[in-house]
Amino acid sequence: MTDAIKIDVWSDIACPWCYIGKRNLETGLAAASGDEDAPVVEVTYHSYELSPDTPVDFEGGEYDYLAQHKGITPDQARQMLERVTGVAAEAGLQYRFDLLQHTNTVKAHELLHFAKEKGRQLELAERLMSAYFTEGRHLGRIEELAALAADAGLDSAEAEEALRSGRYLDAVRADQAQATSYGITGVPFFVIDGRYGVSGAQPAEAFTQITRQVWAERHADADADAVA
């Protein structure tokens, strides 16, 4: 039995390209899952804060955030959001920047580590990104995060206690330190089997191809070991 391919994903729930990358990864893996010898894959999400200095209650909308954070004009911000909305639609995602509530994401990252410990990280990552980009939910508030945790199959009271205690903050910082050691400066960033780095929201076909490639390499290595 060949061990599962490990895909480690650095992302931020407030990164529009990360949600697109997540969906494309899932679509690509689904395509490979139909192979006669389908790759076995294990996906883990890691913390990366794009804007750690953002206040929990940011004053203004996404246009205001882009203008302030990137130093661009409102018209440039509009063009950026229209572009990413179009790309998201191609991935099957309906972004609602008119509803989006920009916020600090550190507590959302802490919650993802809590969910990982409970075996529900993938479900929570999907729930958080959907809530943020398509529903206008406020992901900087502990009560809101606890409610979303329940949607992902977690105990809301336990999730709220974990967030208020701050006991997963060290895990968030460890992920960020590892990103620095890898030289990651933007997300999404995918580390495939600890050997290949893939940056950006690649098309689904790219994930299908690299997964098949790594799976074939795994079998070749296993065959070589058997001969030796």
Side-chain angles (χ1 to χ4, degrees), residues 106-133:
V106 69
K107 285 297 177 185
H109 285 295
E110 290 179 41
L111 188 61
L112 283 165
H113 281 279
F114 167 76
K116 178 184 176 183
E117 191 175 272
K118 301 295 183 181
R120 304 292 295 178
Q121 190 193 49
L122 299 184
E123 293 83 357
L124 182 67
E126 175 64 29
R127 187 67 193 98
L128 293 183
M129 289 183 174
S130 175
Y132 188 77
F133 284 108

Side-chain angles (χ1 to χ4, degrees), residues 22-42:
K22 178 181 183 296
R23 186 61 83 246
N24 287 349
L25 171 65
E26 292 163 348
T27 301
L29 295 180
S33 71
D35 295 355
E36 183 176 349
D37 179 24
V40 179
V41 180
E42 177 183 312

Side-chain angles (χ1 to χ4, degrees), residues 215-228:
W215 194 242
E217 291 171 357
R218 285 287 197 85
H219 280 291
D221 291 344
D223 291 344
D225 290 342
V227 171

